[in-house]
């Protein structure tokens, strides 16, 4: 009788220990789901005014923070395809989402992000080893096309606009990433760039918006990062980055480039940190799925077009196939791996 009692008591103690552990596991899953929902929600809430903001889970109120005025250590560059070179993702060799209507919002994410154990930004010879190089140096870029002109070109023949929604590590301050927009007037010409713009020495003008700073995100953790870009005619354009329980955004007036009137193509990827550099991942086992969703007032599937990327930065992965989907969130998805 005593032996049976001891067995029953032991079973009860084991059950008592297991039940709280099960509840803790379930609570963790519920919190992860709640944070994922929050990240989606906060990215759709407009910042109240032009400026820089931060929000923390579970609040859906943007809190204004100090903007950083970037004096860039390096700037991104437009694609400069060198025929015959090895074609890794980027520098023109990238898929883009294309629509026939104006895009007001695009969301870039990595629903599959596996096998990444290291990453470093390396120089590419054709660019003179430019960019911010080293371990855990990269940029997330959401780029428009440079096929259209707007009033921002001030009538300069051949001038087209190009807007980048960016998160970059160590862009100005070591250990701190920056969320911002980079604005370009491609082929503006030899005359002086407009006020606030600098020249790249190639006839192009560029400038950075104000930036919101945050701690560098490890390249191994990008599966949990989402970047959202929005453009509003007569309003503000925004870049939003969400990661775990935090969201960061910066805004600028759409009249900077008037991009909302011509935005119908989106490129998104993880690439080198400016200057034509390359994000070099560990040499094997990496598999990334890139998803780009766009809001353009339509439920039709967009087109997925190859070799139409606009950034000059790249990564060392090989592109796989691309598929397009319609519905409430038209999107494209493609794979890249080594």
């Amino acid at each position: 009788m005593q032996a049976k009692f001891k067995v029953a008591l032991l079973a009860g103690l084991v059950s008592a220990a297991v039940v709280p552990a099960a509840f803790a596991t379930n609570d963790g899953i519920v919190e992860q789901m709640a944070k994922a929902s929050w990240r989606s929600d906060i990215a759709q809430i407009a910042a109240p005014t032009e400026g820089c903001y931060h929000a923390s889970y579970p609040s859906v109120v943007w809190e204004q923070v100090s903007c950083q005025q970037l004096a860039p250590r390096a700037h991104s560059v437009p694609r400069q395809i060198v025929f015959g070179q090895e074609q890794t993702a980027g520098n023109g060799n990238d898929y883009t989402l294309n629509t026939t209507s104006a895009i007001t919002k695009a969301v870039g994410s990595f629903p599959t992000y596996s096998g990444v154990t290291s990453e470093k930004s390396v120089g590419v010879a054709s660019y003179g080893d430019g960019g911010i190089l080293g371990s855990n140096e990269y940029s997330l870029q959401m780029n428009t096309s440079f096929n259209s002109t707007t009033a921002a070109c001030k009538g300069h023949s051949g001038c087209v606009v190009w807007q980048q929604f960016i998160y970059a590590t160590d862009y100005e301050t070591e250990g701190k990433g920056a969320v911002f927009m980079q604005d370009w007037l491609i082929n503006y010409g030899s005359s002086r760039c407009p006020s606030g713009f600098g020249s790249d020495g190639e006839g192009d003008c560029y400038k950075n918006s104000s930036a919101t700073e945050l701690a560098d995100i490890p390249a191994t953790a990008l599966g949990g990062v989402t970047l959202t870009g929005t453009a509003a005619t007569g309003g503000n354009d925004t870049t939003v980055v969400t990661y775990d329980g935090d969201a960061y955004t910066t805004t600028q007036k759409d009249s900077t480039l008037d991009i909302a009137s011509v935005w119908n193509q989106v490129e998104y990827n993880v690439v080198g940190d400016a200057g034509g550099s390359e994000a070099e991942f560990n040499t094997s086992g990496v598999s990334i799925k890139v998803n780009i969703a766009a809001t353009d007032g339509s439920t039709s599937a967009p087109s997925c077009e190859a070799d139409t990327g606009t950034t000059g930065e790249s990564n060392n992965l090989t592109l796989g196939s691309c598929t397009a989907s319609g519905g409430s969130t038209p999107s494209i998805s493609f794979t890249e791996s080594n």
Side-chain angles (χ1 to χ4, degrees):
M1 184 71 177
Q2 189 176 10
K4 289 183 179 179
F5 174 76
K6 287 182 178 179
V7 170
L9 177 61
L10 180 60
L13 291 173
V14 170
S15 297
V18 170
V19 169
F23 275 117
T25 301
N26 288 337
D27 286 347
I29 294 173
V30 170
E31 184 174 27
Q32 289 177 19
M33 294 174 63
K35 281 187 177 180
S37 179
W38 173 84
R39 289 192 293 268
S40 177
D41 291 341
I42 193 67
Q44 298 182 58
I45 297 173
T49 59
E50 188 177 5
C52 301
Y53 296 85
H54 169 247
S56 295
Y57 173 82
S59 173
V60 290
V61 177
W62 288 111
E63 301 289 344
Q64 193 158 20
V65 297
S66 296
C67 284
Q68 304 301 311
Q69 305 303 320
L70 299 178
R73 295 163 57 187
H75 61 76
S76 300
V77 295
R79 67 184 179 213
Q80 296 184 15
I81 301 171
V82 179
F83 292 102
Q85 71 179 13
E86 182 180 356
Q87 285 294 290
T88 51
N91 195 25
N93 180 45
D94 212 351
Y95 292 113
T96 62
L97 177 153
N98 292 259
T99 70
T100 57
S101 304
I103 294 169
T104 57
K105 180 176 74 173
V107 181
S109 62
F110 304 114
T112 300
Y113 194 82
S114 64
V116 177
T117 59
S118 66
E119 179 276 337
K120 60 183 178 181
S121 184
V122 298
V124 178
S126 61
Y127 287 98
D129 292 347
I132 302 170
L133 310 182
S135 179
N136 202 57
E137 301 288 3
Y138 66 87
S139 63
L140 299 179
Q141 296 186 17
M142 176 177 288
N143 304 314
T144 71
S145 65
F146 40 65
N147 299 326
S148 303
T149 189
T150 69
C153 280
K154 302 184 184 300
H156 284 234
S157 177
C159 172
V160 293
V161 292
W162 182 42
Q163 188 158 312
Q164 301 180 278
F165 304 85
I166 297 175
Y167 165 73
T169 56
D170 291 334
Y171 193 76
E172 185 177 52
T173 305
E174 189 170 347
K176 293 288 185 71
V179 177
F180 63 104
M181 280 156 279
Q182 193 161 91
D183 309 304
W184 286 80
L185 302 171
I186 305 291
N187 298 325
Y188 192 78
S190 58
S191 59
R192 181 177 298 180
C193 292
S195 176
F197 285 79
S199 172
D200 70 348
E202 302 291 335
D204 309 318
C205 303
Y206 74 96
K207 78 173 192 67
N208 290 332
S209 70
S210 298
T212 302
E213 278 194 343
L214 64 152
D216 283 346
I217 300 172
T220 53
L222 294 181
V225 176
T226 296
L227 187 149
T228 301
T230 66
T233 301
N236 291 329
D237 299 346
T238 68
T239 304
V240 182
V241 167
T242 61
Y243 173 58
D244 192 26
D246 290 287
Y248 305 86
T249 187
T250 190
T251 69
Q252 70 174 15
K253 294 189 181 303
D254 183 70
S255 56
T256 305
L257 290 183
D258 295 312
I259 202 69
S261 64
V262 295
W263 189 17
N264 62 4
Q265 177 179 304
V266 188
E267 174 188 32
Y268 180 71
N269 218 325
V270 50
V271 292
D273 201 353
S277 58
E278 180 175 86
E280 183 179 270
F281 292 93
N282 45 286
T283 56
S284 64
V286 175
S287 180
I288 298 175
K289 182 177 182 180
V290 182
N291 191 80
I292 308 170
T295 301
D296 68 343
S298 169
T299 57
S300 300
S303 61
C304 185
E305 298 189 15
D307 301 323
T308 49
T310 52
T311 185
E313 284 75 54
S314 61
N315 64 43
N316 68 331
L317 305 178
T318 300
L319 293 174
S321 59
C322 182
T323 59
S325 304
S328 57
T329 54
S331 63
I332 67 168
S333 293
F334 59 90
T335 57
E336 51 189 5
S337 65
N338 58 14

